[in-house]
Amino acid sequence: MIPQRYIIATLFIAAMLLLFAVVQAPRPVTSGGVSAVEVPAVMNLGSYESLAELRLEDGWAPRFQGALDPDQSEPWPFEGGFGTPWEPASPYLGDQGLALNGPQGRSEVVLWRGLEWRRYRFDAPLASARLDPARGNRLLVTLQMGDGRFETRLLEVPEGRVIWSTESGPWSRFSWDGKAVLLGFFEKAEPRGESRLLLTALSLEADTGEPTLAAWDEPGLPPPPRGLATKPEALSDDGRDLPGARLELPWHAGDRFWFPRGDRLWHGGVLGWSAWSLLGGRWRRAAAGPGLLTAQPPQRMALAAPLPEEGMARRTSPVDAVAWAPVAAGALPWPAWDPAWAWRENGAFDAWDQRWNESALPPERQRQALIEAYRPEWRAATNLRASVKGWLPGGPEVALREPLGAAWIWVGDRVLLVRLVEAERVRLLKKLLR
């Protein structure tokens, strides 16, 4: 039989060794600590830190109802995306908040500030909501005030003070540099007439001054299409009420425009392309011509025009000037335009891991990991609220914000903001897109 004093001594020594190991382990090896094998980031997928959580009352959801954007053919919601300023409006405002529509035509924008939710409530449904891409201290919302009637407001964040408010169309947007707002609507077309899109630009840094209208009278450039308004008297009553620098464009199915800077606008469509500059408070054409215009954000514009015999000639230009440079004949064809593409010199990619040409980005793995990690909570929500099966029939909705290292998860009865695992792809995206 072992004497009791030996047993006590052995337990005392074991306890001291354990305490020594606990104290020493976090120290670096150079200071006498114990080295640990680094676990690859991919092994941590499935364990996500929750940064914020918002419980939804029944009938409220982070989706816009029937809101259309000139860069898309279907209404939102649309999963994921980079949250970049050239994308269509999303209910998820970067890593700062989200927009909700509710019953009886009510809506609100909730922002996560100072470890609490700040609420901005409205008595009309939201058609879009955006934070300015530069500083995030301006909130732009477009509200549906009735059948075919919309109102756009610019609010100061976090105070919630309305800086200005004006009638508009069903969408609004900031310029890519966050220095101006572009909004507008379709003017009523005469029977068998083509659609006309009336735009106006409002600066965030200066007084808008007297409203102006583009005259389409630049020397050496084609005259305006027939029926297009070039004088304020030709606008509708709503059009005459719009403030700012106004511009009316012909609009056909498939047309698009881009607003990279507060003083630059590009328009492309079936009738060709045009580049506009804001000079002296009035929009003026810098150039125009035939060809298919697309954007390769955030770097450049791209143009493809047919050659006299066969094939296409391709050129690119900076977004802030019209300076076309030819593309090598052997270069790969550009992919179809999608607002989620982010371009580099040698390739392009988006949040759904579509790629063009060379891309050094590792594959996107976290979206599916998030869906699987939060599927049990989605199942629990479907048993609590009948509306969840209608909103989210296939599982939780995931909206990645990889350049911000965050993601929004809607499980049905609540929305969570979670921190993404700091994988190599996330680190590269932060460098490329910020």
Side-chain angles (χ1 to χ4, degrees), residues 116-259:
E116 66 177 4
W117 290 109
R118 292 181 177 264
R119 298 176 181 270
Y120 306 84
R121 294 187 169 95
F122 309 97
D123 293 326
L126 281 164
S128 76
R130 304 170 188 263
L131 284 174
D132 77 273
R135 298 174 59 188
N137 64 348
R138 296 290 184 268
L139 173 64
L140 186 70
V141 297
T142 295
L143 304 165
Q144 185 171 359
M145 308 304 292
D147 187 17
R149 306 289 296 182
F150 298 86
E151 179 181 306
T152 295
R153 301 176 188 174
L154 182 68
L155 291 82
E156 191 173 26
V157 174
E159 293 81 2
R161 179 178 64 90
V162 177
I163 300 174
W164 53 254
S165 175
T166 183
E167 292 187 3
S168 70
W171 52 266
S172 54
R173 67 181 57 193
F174 287 101
S175 57
W176 295 4
D177 60 7
K179 294 184 178 180
V181 167
L182 194 71
L183 52 93
F185 53 82
F186 287 100
E187 288 274 52
K188 294 181 179 179
E190 299 178 359
R192 298 185 179 180
E194 65 181 7
S195 297
R196 294 172 293 137
L197 179 63
L198 180 63
L199 302 171
T200 187
L202 303 175
S203 173
L204 271 65
E205 300 176 345
D207 184 21
T208 57
E210 292 294 322
T212 61
L213 180 63
W216 288 74
D217 60 353
E218 297 82 7
L221 295 178
R226 186 176 180 181
L228 205 69
T230 57
K231 296 182 179 180
E233 298 78 23
L235 296 173
S236 65
D237 292 340
D238 291 339
R240 286 194 289 269
D241 290 339
L242 272 183
R246 296 167 298 187
L247 164 65
E248 189 166 274
L249 296 171
W251 200 260
H252 304 85
D255 284 11
R256 295 188 180 94
F257 67 82
W258 298 269
F259 192 37

Side-chain angles (χ1 to χ4, degrees), residues 36 100 103 129 138 147 168 189 267 310 371 384 388 391 423:
L100 304 169
R138 296 290 184 268
D147 187 17
S168 70
H267 170 233
E310 63 177 12
I371 291 174
L384 294 173
V388 175
W391 285 118

Side-chain angles (χ1 to χ4, degrees), residues 42 45 349-355 359-368 400 402 421 423-426 428-429:
V42 69
L45 298 185
F349 51 88
D350 68 8
W352 298 269
D353 208 36
Q354 297 183 76
R355 305 188 189 200
S359 175
L361 281 177
E364 195 284 302
R365 300 177 184 273
Q366 302 206 48
R367 181 186 304 278
Q368 190 60 38
L400 291 180
E402 290 181 292
V421 174
E424 182 65 18
R425 175 185 171 93
V426 173
L428 286 172
L429 276 170

